[in-house]
Amino acid sequence: MTLEVSDLSITRGGVPVLQGLGFALRPGHALVVRGPNGIGKTTLLRTLAGLQPPLSGRIEGADETIAYAGHSDGIKPTLTVIENLTFWARVFGARSIQPALDAFDLNDLAERHAGNLSAGQKRRLGLSRLLVTGRPIWMLDEPTVSLDVSAVAMFADAVRAHLGQGGSALIATHIDLGLDAEILDVGPFKARPREIEDFDGDFL
Amino acid sequence: MSISAKANRLWAYANPKKFLETTEKALPFFWVAAALCLVVGLVWGFFFTPDDYRQGSTVKIIYLHVPSALMAINIWFMMLVTSLVWLVRRHHVSALAARAAAPVGVVMTLIALATGAIWGQPMWGTWWAWDPRLTSFLILFLFYLGYIALWEAIENPDTAADLTSVLCLVGSVFAILSRYAVNFWNQGLHQGASLSLDKEENVADVFWVPLLVCIAGFVLLFVALVLYRTGTEIRARRIKALQARERVGA
Amino acid sequence: MIALLMRDLKLAFRAGGGFGLGLAFFLIVTVLVPFSVGPQSSLLATISPGVLWLGALLACLLSLDRLLALDWEDGSLDLLATAPLPLEAVVTIKALAHWITTGLPLVLAAPVLGVLLNLPQPGFVWLVVSLALGTPALSVIGTFGAALTVGLKRGGLLLSLLVLPLYVPTLIFGAEVARRGAISMETNTPLLMLAGITAGAVALLPFASAAVLRVNLR
C-alpha cells in the first residue's frame, strides 16, 4: 500500500503551518520527518491519520491503512498489560498478541497492571500496540520518548521487521534509529501567510 | 434575474469584507428606523390608546411583552438557520452572526419574562406560575445560556462555531420537545396568542396598530444590533487571526 | 464493539472506576429529602415519584464528565478514532456502558428508596418501568454533552449547564409516568412519549455526538 501525498496544506488551530507538501511512502520503506519544534510535524501526522482534515491537497492510500501512535499511548492503568493489548487486538480484528509481547520484551510484565509500569515500559506497551493492528502504514510521533538504549534498539528491530514484511513507516523523530530511511525535512514547506491585502476574510 | 443568480448574490455577503462594507452603510438607516418605530409605537401605545375595560392600563405592557416574546423565539430560529448555513457552507459570517444574536435573544427572553411577571401580578395575582408558556420561555432562556457559555468556553473559533452549531440544532429539537412536554404537563392560565392574522382578532384595532409599529421597531432594533455585533465579532476574529499569524512568525 | 464495551465495564468495576458513586449519591439525596421537607408520610408520598426521578437524573449527570474525558486524556480517543470502529459506534457503546454502570443500578435501587420515601403501593412498578425506559435517554443525551465539552479543562460545570435543559422532556414524561402510576391514573400517553423520546435519542444523537467528537479531536 503506497501512501501518496501531493500539494498538501495543513492547519493548526485555523492557521496554516505547512503548505505544498508532497511525498510518496512505498511499501518496505521508512520516512523520517524532521523539522524544528512547532513546525507542524504532529499536525502532519494527525492529518495523515485522518484525525483532522487537510486545508487542501490530496492524501491517497490512507484509508484504514494507518496505525497511529501519538504522544500518549492510550493505556489504561487499571488494566494489565495483556488486557490492554488484547483490547486493541480485538478492536483491530482479533490477532494473537504474542508477537507483540515478544517484540517489545513484555512477557515478564504481562500480568502487571499498566499503572505500575515505568514510563519506558508504558511506552513499549504503547508501541507494541502497533503490531496487533495489522495495518501496513505506521505513523509514529516521537516514538522513542522515555525509551532507554536497548528499548530503542528493540523498537528499531520491530520497525525493520515491519518493513521487511512489506509495511512502511512514517516517523517523526530527532534521534538516529539506525534505519535505512529517507529523510523528509518539512522546514522548507513552512506555510507563508497570505499578503495582508488579500486578507479577504477566510481569516487565514 | 433567476432565483439562483439572486441567491448567488446573497452569498457574496458571506465575505466578511463585503459584509462590513455593506452593513456600515446600511446600519445608520436601521438605527434611525428602529428608534423611530420604537418611539412612535411606545408613545402611541402607552399614552394614546384607551385603557382596556377589564385589564385597565396594565394591558399596555403588551407593547413590550409581545414584541420581545416574538423576538425571543425568532432569534433562536435565526440562529438555527445561520448555524445550518455555517455547517453546510462554512461561511464564517454566518457562524459569527449566530454568536452575535444570542445575547440579544437572552435579553429579549428576559424582557418577555419580566414584563410577563409584571403583567401577571395584577391579572392573575401572582408573579410567576408554572404555566406552559412561561415555563417554555424559562427553558428557552436556559438554552440560550448554555449556547453562549459554550461559545465562551472554547478557544479555537472554528471549533467553537462547529460545536455551538450542532448544539443549536440538537437544542432546537429538544426545545420543541420541551414545549410539547410542558404543554402536556400543565394546562395553563396564559391567554392564547394575542396576535393572529385570522378574522377573529383577539386584539382590537386601537391596540393592534401601535403594537405592529412596536413589533417593527423591535425587529429593526434586532437587525441593527445583530449587524453591528456581527461586525464586532468579525473584527475580533480578524485580530485573533492576525495574532495567530504573528505567532507562526509571518 | 463488544471488546470496547467489556473494557469500559471492566474499567468501571476496577479500583477508581467510579462504579457505585452514582448509586451512593442517589441514596444520599433521597435520605436528605425528608430532612428538608419534613417527615410527614402523606407529603413524602405525594412528592416521592418526582424526587426519585430527579435524584436518578442528577446521579446520572454526576458521572458524565468521566465518560469521555478519561479516554481523551490518555490518548485512547485518538486511537479509537483511527481504529476500524466508526466513531458513532464508539459513542453508542460508551453510552451503553454508562447506562449499565450508572442507569441500571439506579433503576434497581429506586424501589428500595421508594420505601424510604413512602411511595404508594401502585407506584413501584411504574417508577421502575419509567426509569428503565428513561435512563437510556439520559445516558445518550449525556454522552452528547460529554462529547461537546471533552476538550475543555473545566468542562464539568458547563456540561451540566448544557445537558440539564436537554433532560427536560425526559424528566417531564418520566416523572409523569411515575406520578400518575402512584395515584393509579392512566399512564399510557406519557409512557409512549417517554419511549418515543428514548428511541429517538438513541437512534439519532450518536450521530451528533460523533460529529462533535470529530471536531474536538482535530
Side-chain angles (χ1 to χ4, degrees):
Chain A
M1 199 71 196
T2 302
L3 177 72
E4 273 198 76
V5 171
S6 51
D7 200 25
L8 184 74
S9 298
I10 57 173
T11 62
R12 182 181 53 219
V15 184
V17 283
L18 293 174
Q19 67 182 22
L21 193 67
F23 63 86
L25 181 60
R26 269 172 275 282
H29 289 260
L31 198 58
V32 170
V33 182
R34 288 268 158 85
N37 292 129
I39 187 81
K41 296 189 294 293
T42 296
T43 312
L44 173 64
L45 262 56
R46 289 182 69 87
T47 308
L48 293 174
L51 286 169
Q52 63 179 70
L55 181 63
S56 63
R58 293 197 316 167
I59 303 169
E60 277 174 44
D63 280 342
E64 305 270 297
T65 57
I66 288 179
Y68 171 78
H71 294 239
S72 337
D73 292 314
I75 293 170
K76 293 295 174 190
T78 50
L79 298 183
T80 64
V81 168
I82 285 196
E83 282 171 330
N84 269 300
L85 259 185
T86 309
F87 164 65
W88 289 110
R90 288 179 64 192
V91 166
F92 282 90
R95 290 167 167 258
S96 164
I97 63 164
Q98 197 51 49
L101 289 174
D102 292 341
F104 286 90
D105 194 18
L106 292 166
N107 282 305
D108 294 342
L109 306 170
E111 294 299 335
R112 273 227 241 154
H113 282 260
N116 299 333
L117 299 181
S118 74
Q121 289 167 332
K122 270 187 197 150
R123 193 72 202 173
R124 267 152 60 195
L125 172 56
L127 292 171
S128 70
R129 185 185 57 84
L130 293 165
L131 286 166
V132 303
T133 60
R135 291 205 160 162
I137 305 173
W138 288 4
M139 203 140 286
L140 311 172
D141 196 356
E142 301 288 0
T144 54
V145 169
S146 59
L147 290 184
D148 61 15
V149 179
S150 69
V152 170
M154 219 182 276
F155 165 66
D157 287 341
V159 174
R160 259 190 292 273
H162 178 63
L163 300 180
Q165 290 160 12
S168 55
L170 188 74
I171 308 171
T173 181
H174 285 100
I175 70 161
D176 187 15
L177 293 169
L179 291 170
D180 184 17
E182 299 156 53
I183 305 278
L184 173 70
D185 185 5
V186 294
F189 297 101
K190 185 174 162 104
R192 277 173 302 278
R194 272 190 261 172
E195 295 300 317
I196 295 282
E197 285 72 38
D198 301 346
F199 195 63
D200 74 332
D202 283 342
F203 301 114
L204 290 171
Chain B
M1 197 192 303
S2 73
I3 290 173
S4 68
K6 264 185 193 165
N8 278 335
R9 262 197 186 180
L10 187 64
W11 291 125
Y13 296 98
N15 178 318
K17 213 178 196 174
K18 180 100 196 266
F19 178 89
L20 282 180
E21 279 166 10
T22 317
T23 52
E24 254 157 40
K25 272 182 234 144
L27 259 175
F29 297 103
F30 277 111
W31 287 125
V32 171
L36 215 63
C37 281
L38 282 177
V39 169
V40 169
L42 289 178
V43 169
W44 185 356
F46 283 155
F47 301 111
F48 298 99
T49 55
D51 287 351
D52 185 81
Y53 70 96
R54 274 178 303 145
Q55 306 193 12
S57 59
T58 49
V59 75
K60 291 182 175 179
I61 205 163
I62 196 174
Y63 300 108
L64 288 172
H65 182 69
V66 169
S68 60
L70 267 179
M71 293 315 291
I73 295 168
N74 284 315
I75 290 172
W76 183 274
F77 186 67
M78 171 238 151
M79 282 159 52
L80 173 64
V81 172
T82 48
S83 294
L84 273 172
V85 170
W86 160 252
L87 287 178
V88 175
R89 298 200 50 150
R90 316 297 291 177
H91 291 315
H92 288 91
V93 172
S94 192
L96 293 179
R99 179 180 193 174
V104 186
V106 171
V107 174
M108 291 294 177
T109 315
L110 266 184
I111 294 177
L113 285 171
T115 53
I118 294 166
W119 194 3
Q121 212 286 324
M123 296 303 17
W124 306 330
T126 171
W127 296 99
W128 179 262
W130 288 94
D131 161 272
R133 255 168 206 257
L134 274 64
T135 313
S136 303
F137 266 83
L138 200 57
I139 296 170
L140 183 65
F141 180 65
L142 297 178
F143 274 104
Y144 271 121
L145 285 190
Y147 178 87
I148 294 171
L150 190 60
W151 261 113
E152 295 303 322
I154 301 166
E155 194 80 14
N156 182 322
D158 279 4
T159 307
D162 280 332
L163 297 185
T164 50
S165 296
V166 177
L167 177 67
C168 185
L169 245 68
V170 173
S172 301
V173 175
F174 277 88
I176 292 168
L177 278 176
S178 306
R179 179 84 182 98
Y180 281 103
V182 161
N183 259 342
F184 174 82
W185 162 79
N186 188 6
Q187 278 81 23
L189 315 155
H190 199 288
Q191 66 205 68
S194 316
L195 280 181
S196 64
L197 298 172
D198 304 346
K199 279 178 197 160
E200 299 173 80
E201 280 172 17
N202 296 315
V203 184
D205 278 351
V206 272
F207 301 116
W208 167 250
V209 180
L211 184 56
L212 278 188
V213 179
C214 279
I215 291 173
F218 268 77
V219 172
L220 287 166
L221 179 66
F222 165 68
V223 171
L225 280 171
V226 162
L227 292 182
Y228 182 72
R229 289 179 51 81
T230 307
T232 313
E233 295 288 349
I234 289 174
R235 291 186 177 95
R237 183 79 172 74
R238 184 166 286 179
I239 290 170
K240 260 197 173 173
L242 286 171
Q243 281 171 340
R245 270 167 55 113
E246 297 276 308
R247 269 204 308 279
V248 180
Chain C
M1 283 170 78
I2 294 171
L4 180 59
L5 180 63
M6 296 316 285
R7 182 194 74 148
D8 274 10
L9 294 182
K10 223 184 251 175
L11 285 173
F13 292 126
R14 293 261 163 103
F19 174 76
L21 277 184
L23 206 53
F25 176 82
F26 192 25
L27 172 69
I28 291 171
V29 166
T30 311
V31 170
L32 289 184
V33 168
F35 297 152
S36 64
V37 303
Q40 300 91 339
S41 35
S42 62
L43 174 64
L44 287 177
T46 323
I47 63 168
S48 59
V51 165
L52 289 170
W53 245 93
L54 189 62
L57 183 145
L58 292 177
C60 261
L61 188 74
L62 198 66
S63 47
L64 287 178
D65 60 337
R66 299 169 59 92
L67 187 69
L68 293 167
L70 293 180
D71 279 340
W72 163 272
E73 279 160 18
D74 65 17
S76 302
L77 266 183
D78 281 347
L79 303 180
L80 280 171
T82 54
L85 224 53
L87 219 44
E88 284 80 3
V90 171
V91 292
T92 309
I93 295 294
K94 289 260 160 205
L96 178 61
H98 178 261
W99 183 72
I100 292 176
T101 54
T102 309
L104 192 58
L106 295 178
V107 176
L108 300 178
V112 183
L113 300 181
V115 175
L116 285 182
L117 289 188
N118 199 25
L119 184 70
Q121 202 59 44
F124 281 89
V125 60
W126 290 112
L127 179 70
V128 173
V129 166
S130 64
L131 279 174
L133 215 52
T135 44
L138 300 183
S139 288
V140 177
I141 297 168
T143 308
F144 172 67
L148 271 177
T149 55
V150 72
L152 300 170
K153 286 195 181 59
R154 287 179 300 279
L157 206 58
L158 180 63
L159 177 64
S160 313
L161 183 60
L162 297 179
V163 165
L164 284 176
L166 299 176
Y167 275 175
V168 168
T170 312
L171 174 65
I172 287 181
F173 287 121
E176 186 76 12
V177 171
R179 206 164 43 156
R180 289 190 179 198
I183 50 175
S184 306
M185 267 173 74
E186 173 278 332
T187 51
N188 259 341
T189 320
L191 197 64
L192 286 176
M193 296 298 286
L194 181 66
I197 288 173
T198 302
V202 170
L204 297 176
L205 265 181
F207 293 99
S209 308
V212 295
L213 202 52
R214 275 196 197 94
V215 171
N216 267 327
L217 282 174
R218 70 180 188 216

